[in-house]
Each structure stands twice: as structure tokens, then as C-alpha cells.
Amino acid sequence: MCVCVCVLSVRFTSCIAFFNILNELNDYAGQREVVAEEMGHRVYGELMRYSHDLKTERKMHLQEGRKAQQYLDMCWKQMDNSKKKFERECREAEKAQQSYERLDNDTNATKADVEKAKQQLNLRTHMADENKNEYAAQLQNFNGEQHKHYYIVIPQIYKQLQEMDERRTIKLSECYKGFADSERKVIPIISKCLEGMILAAKSVDEHRDSQLVIDCFKSGFEPPGDFPFEDYSQNIYRTISDGTISTPKQEGMRIDSKTTVGKAKGKLWLFGKKPKGPALEDFSHLPPEQRRKKLQQRIDELNRELQKETDQKDALIKMKDVYEKNPQMGDPGSLQPKLAETMSNMDRLRMEIHKNEAWLSEVEGKVAARSDRRHSSDINHLVTQGRESPEGSYTDDANQEVRGPPQQHAHPNEFDDEFEDDDPLPAIGHCKAIYPFDGHNEGTLAMKEGEILYIIEEDKGDGWTRARRHNGEEGYVPTSYIDVTLEKNSKGS
């Protein structure tokens, strides 16, 4: 049934439209890659290079400003030092003037002391004049440098910074234009892709799809005929022949249950338990983790069979050696057919092991890749392949017998029994929904934020966890949407 569904789905107009939309999305994604490359080379790369050049130029201008400020500070220090020195020499000259006047007015002072005080006064006066001239020169120089600093040097640096920022703004506008141009180039192709998607959507024919489902899954059952009236009162009223209500039993009205069941064998019965589809040899109908377990289990079984065949071959070889050494115990040639059969079985088992190991390597690679992008992938994608049943449960039993339709004389409650699934899986823990989930996809389970669910199957690496509500409803929920708490010896509801 799984193979039939897969083949039938390819013929659905909705599936064909979806396939065409995927092709258009592929072209659409290619155009987005073109835009991304243009952004990387023409916009982002150019901005990074230009930003580096601007940083270097800005650093140079700021260094020039610091050097100009340091030079102005040095000129101020020199002027301030000359000012302080001139002030100090003036005080010393005043002291010398006072000392000379005091000695000159003192009648007891000798002429030599007066002359010495006069010489000291002249020396201090001369030094004060020299410091006055130096202070005036330094003051004039500082005033000139200060005027030059605030009216020439600093304005020039600010002008250079302003020009640099204006060039940066112009470069940004050019990059904006480049981004718009790269988007404008792909708009015609993207428009064609969108038009193709619209045409694919319009090509969906719901009546044709419904007819395909009817043609593939029609049961072939014939409606049962009317039951004849069986008159059990004929033995009582044998004498009354005309008034007896009796309906002759027509052979054509009889229903051969064996024939009906025989015709219905292998058919799909809507109200019965749905038969599980035949399992594929490589278990590709199962989810990755379950497929890996099945393949590993088959490889282990094949290895055990190969070991048995190897032991049997060794035993046959030893027995053949014994027969060759002791012909009276048996004919060595009689063991040759059995030995050849054993060797053939060993070759067959080795080929099977190699084939299954190749499938196992493939699925392990897929499981590892899916586990790496488990938190980066869209959580609302379709449920993993293999969930072909409407309830979202996996089909593990590949050899389950297909059940026939219910018998015509079945009890009215028999349909209710057919709807009942196998025994529910035991709960291994519980979880709390962190975020709400709509559960529109087939096999998923809708949940509300804060809702408590039972865990009946852990995440196998595909990003989904199987859960059950208190009312028995089961399905898969995103693992990243729930807070899982595993418990020991927990029971389902």
C-alpha cells in the first residue's frame, strides 16, 4: 500500500503543482544567491575596504590635531616661565632699590657699602629689563601661535574631517544604489518564477485527484442484497396455503460469504483496521533512527548466520579430511555438494551484509547531518518519511497480514472494534509545551502553551518527539517546543 500511495501521489495534480513550485523555488533561490554575491563583492566588501581607509585617514587627522595642541601648550609654558622669571627679577630689583636707599640715607654706612648696593641695584635693574624683553617676545610668539592654532590649523583639520565624512556619505549612497541595482537585475527572473508558481497553483484539479484516489483504492465490494423472509410458521399452518406470508427463496438472493471474502481479499476496507504497507528492503519507508536500528539488527542477524555457515564449513572440511584419511568411515565426495552449498550461502550472506552496511552508512550520514542542523531548521516542515498512516504512526511490521472486510452478519459494534488500534505504547516520561503548535501536518499533534503531555517515544535525531494526550490522542510534536522530563517506571494514561 505504501508503494501504491507513493506512485499515486506522483499523479496527483496537487503533487505535480508542488513539484513545479519547488523547481521555481530553486530558480528563485538561485537569484537570491546572485543578490547575495553582489552584496558580498560590490557592497559589503567595498564598504569594508573603504571603512579601513577612512579609519586610517581619520587617525592621521586626529594625530595632527594632537600635535598642534601639544605645540600650543609648549608655547604657553615658555611664555608662562618667562613671565614668572620677569616677575621674580622685578621683585629682586625692588629689594635692591630699597637696600640702596636705606644705606644711602644711613650716615653710619661706609661709602664702600653704598657703592656695592648701587652696583647690585644696577645689576638687578638690568636683569629685570632683559627678562622683560624676553617675556614680551614670548608673549608675542604665543599670541601668534594661538591665533594660528584656532584660526588656521584646527579649522583646516576639521575641514579635512568634514570632507572625509562627506566622502563616506557619498560612498554609502553608491553602495545603496548598488544594492538596489542588484535587486533590480533579478526582479524579471523572480517575477517569472512567481508566475510559474501561480500557473502551477492554477493547474490543481481537485476532481481529477479525487478520481485517482477512487480508482486506486476502490474496494470492489458489491452491496449486499435484501435478506429473504424466512417463514418458520409453515409447519404450524400447513393447511392454510394461500394466507401464509412466505417469500420464495431465490438463489440469486443468496450471498456467498466465501465468494465475497475471496473477492475482497487484499482490498482496502474503509471501516476496518488499515493494512500496513509492505516494507521496503532497505527500510527507506521508516524514519532515519528506526531505519538505522532495523538495518543494524539485520546486519547482526546476517553476521550470526554467516558465523553458523562458517562453522559448518569448518566442520565439513574437518570431516572431509577424516574421510580422506579413513575411507572406511565414509566417502569424501559425498560432502562436496554440501560444502559447495555452504560456500554459496556464505557468499550470498557476505553480499547481503555488504549491501546492508552500505545502506547503514548512508542513513548514519543523514542522521548525523540532521542532528547538526536540528536547531537551525524550520520546525514546521513535513513529518519524516514513513508516516504514511493518517494517524501519524510508523509502520514497523512489514509482514502484517492484510485483513479482509467485515462479514455480512457481523455485530454492529464490530466496526468500533476495528477502529481500535493496538495496545498503546507505555509512557516513558512527560513534557510541558513551552510554545503553542498548530499541528496542521499529517501525523503531528497540536498543543497549547503550558499543556502537559505523555512522552511515548524519544527524539530519534529528526527533531520530533512522539507524545500522547490524556484522552489517548497521539502524534509528533517539535522537540524544541517542549520541556521533556523522562521518568522511570512511568505509565501511560
Side-chain angles (χ1 to χ4, degrees):
M1 178 179 175
C2 177
V3 178
C4 182
V5 172
C6 293
V7 175
L8 182 61
S9 63
V10 179
R11 297 165 55 191
F12 285 149
T13 57
S14 58
C15 295
I16 296 174
F18 180 68
F19 180 75
N20 294 334
I21 288 177
L22 289 181
N23 290 333
E24 297 295 343
L25 280 176
N26 186 28
D27 298 338
Y28 184 93
Q31 298 307 311
R32 302 313 305 171
E33 290 180 358
V34 171
V35 174
E37 291 178 358
E38 290 288 332
M39 285 287 293
H41 293 290
R42 294 183 54 187
V43 180
Y44 176 75
E46 186 66 22
L47 282 178
M48 291 298 294
R49 290 190 295 270
Y50 194 74
S51 175
H52 182 268
D53 296 340
L54 287 180
K55 287 180 179 179
T56 304
E57 183 180 355
R58 180 175 178 273
K59 184 178 181 180
M60 180 186 68
H61 293 323
L62 294 179
Q63 287 178 350
E64 291 177 356
R66 282 194 292 269
K67 289 180 180 178
Q69 186 64 40
Q70 289 174 359
Y71 178 73
L72 183 64
D73 293 341
M74 182 187 68
C75 292
W76 181 83
K77 287 181 180 179
Q78 290 178 355
M79 184 270 297
D80 187 61
N81 290 334
S82 62
K83 177 183 177 181
K84 291 179 180 178
K85 188 174 181 183
F86 171 61
E87 183 181 3
R88 185 173 59 252
E89 291 298 332
C90 287
R91 286 196 298 267
E92 293 294 332
E94 290 177 359
K95 291 180 181 180
Q97 178 71 26
Q98 294 174 0
S99 177
Y100 170 73
E101 291 177 354
R102 186 180 66 253
L103 291 174
D104 188 31
N105 296 325
D106 189 2
T107 56
N108 297 323
T110 61
K111 186 177 181 180
D113 293 336
V114 174
E115 189 66 24
K116 184 176 179 182
K118 185 178 180 180
Q119 292 177 358
Q120 186 68 20
L121 174 61
N122 294 332
L123 178 62
R124 291 297 179 182
T125 303
H126 177 71
M127 291 182 66
D129 292 337
E130 289 182 352
N131 284 280
K132 179 180 179 181
N133 295 331
E134 183 179 358
Y135 169 64
Q138 291 293 338
L139 180 61
Q140 184 179 2
N141 180 63
F142 172 75
N143 290 333
E145 293 296 334
Q146 181 175 252
H147 183 273
K148 180 181 178 182
H149 177 81
Y150 287 105
Y151 288 92
I152 299 176
V153 178
I154 294 301
Q156 184 67 25
I157 293 175
Y158 281 136
K159 183 178 179 181
Q160 293 174 352
L161 291 173
Q162 180 180 351
E163 292 175 353
M164 181 191 69
D165 190 74
E166 290 176 353
R167 284 187 279 109
R168 178 187 66 84
T169 306
I170 294 174
K171 191 66 176 180
L172 282 176
S173 66
E174 293 176 355
C175 291
Y176 296 156
K177 183 177 179 296
F179 167 71
D181 291 337
S182 61
E183 288 283 352
R184 184 187 302 168
K185 290 179 182 178
V186 300
I187 284 178
I189 302 177
I190 290 178
S191 298
K192 291 182 179 179
C193 294
L194 296 177
E195 291 176 0
M197 294 180 189
I198 294 174
L199 292 176
K202 291 181 179 180
S203 66
V204 176
D205 188 352
E206 67 277 10
H207 300 295
R208 180 183 173 187
D209 293 350
S210 299
Q211 190 61 40
L212 286 175
V213 176
I214 293 171
D215 294 339
C216 183
F217 294 105
K218 57 186 177 181
S219 63
F221 297 142
E222 295 180 0
D226 297 335
F227 282 89
F229 179 79
E230 299 182 7
D231 189 4
Y232 294 100
S233 64
Q234 291 180 356
N235 294 329
I236 302 175
Y237 303 101
R238 293 181 181 178
T239 59
I240 305 174
S241 59
D242 296 334
T244 303
I245 302 176
S246 62
T247 303
K249 298 181 180 179
Q250 300 177 2
E251 296 297 330
M253 299 296 292
R254 293 182 178 273
I255 300 172
D256 190 355
S257 60
K258 295 182 179 179
T259 305
T260 305
V261 175
K263 290 182 180 180
K265 187 176 183 180
K267 300 289 185 177
L268 176 64
W269 178 244
L270 178 62
F271 302 106
K273 184 179 292 185
K274 56 184 180 301
K276 297 182 180 180
L280 300 179
E281 184 181 6
D282 58 349
F283 298 111
S284 59
H285 62 289
L286 297 178
E289 183 63 23
Q290 294 191 12
R291 182 186 180 194
R292 184 187 66 79
K293 290 183 179 180
K294 289 288 185 181
L295 289 173
Q296 186 62 51
Q297 183 179 359
R298 180 187 287 176
I299 291 173
D300 295 339
E301 293 176 357
L302 292 174
N303 283 326
R304 287 193 293 269
E305 293 180 7
L306 179 61
Q307 185 61 37
K308 290 181 182 179
E309 294 293 338
T310 304
D311 296 340
Q312 185 175 358
K313 184 197 72 171
D314 296 339
L316 290 173
I317 292 175
K318 291 181 181 179
M319 187 178 296
K320 184 179 179 181
D321 292 340
V322 172
Y323 286 174
E324 289 176 352
K325 294 179 181 179
N326 302 298
Q328 67 276 7
M329 297 182 65
D331 183 13
S334 62
L335 300 177
Q336 190 63 32
K338 186 65 176 175
L339 187 59
E341 180 183 357
T342 304
M343 296 293 291
S344 176
N345 291 336
M346 291 176 62
D347 294 338
R348 177 181 57 81
L349 291 173
R350 288 193 184 98
M351 291 179 62
E352 289 290 330
I353 291 174
H354 179 71
K355 181 168 61 175
N356 283 273
E357 286 178 347
W359 290 334
L360 181 62
S361 300
E362 177 186 356
V363 73
E364 285 179 347
K366 290 182 179 180
V367 169
R370 179 171 292 181
S371 177
D372 292 339
R373 58 176 186 267
R374 173 178 173 182
H375 298 288
S376 59
S377 61
D378 188 359
I379 200 64
N380 288 324
H381 60 78
L382 294 178
V383 185
T384 311
Q385 294 181 357
R387 302 170 186 166
E388 68 269 13
S389 60
E391 291 80 8
S393 60
Y394 291 111
T395 304
D396 294 336
D397 189 359
N399 300 319
Q400 181 179 1
E401 181 182 359
V402 178
R403 301 185 61 176
Q407 299 297 326
Q408 295 174 351
H409 297 284
H411 193 272
N413 294 329
E414 185 175 352
F415 287 167
D416 297 336
D417 296 336
E418 289 295 329
F419 278 112
E420 294 179 0
D421 203 349
D422 298 334
D423 293 338
L425 296 174
I428 59 175
H430 65 276
C431 66
K432 181 179 181 181
I434 306 175
Y435 310 105
F437 179 63
D438 52 14
H440 289 330
N441 295 331
E442 180 183 359
T444 58
L445 181 64
M447 61 182 180
K448 300 179 181 178
E449 182 178 357
E451 184 176 0
I452 304 298
L453 304 174
Y454 290 103
I455 300 297
I456 58 177
E457 186 176 341
E458 293 185 73
D459 186 356
K460 302 300 182 181
D462 56 357
W464 295 87
T465 300
R466 192 173 179 183
R468 181 196 299 133
R469 278 202 181 94
H470 292 78
N471 59 5
E473 185 179 358
E474 297 181 3
Y476 287 85
V477 297
T479 305
S480 59
Y481 277 39
I482 58 176
D483 183 11
V484 179
T485 302
L486 298 180
E487 301 173 352
K488 294 183 178 180
N489 301 325
S490 61
K491 297 180 181 180
S493 58

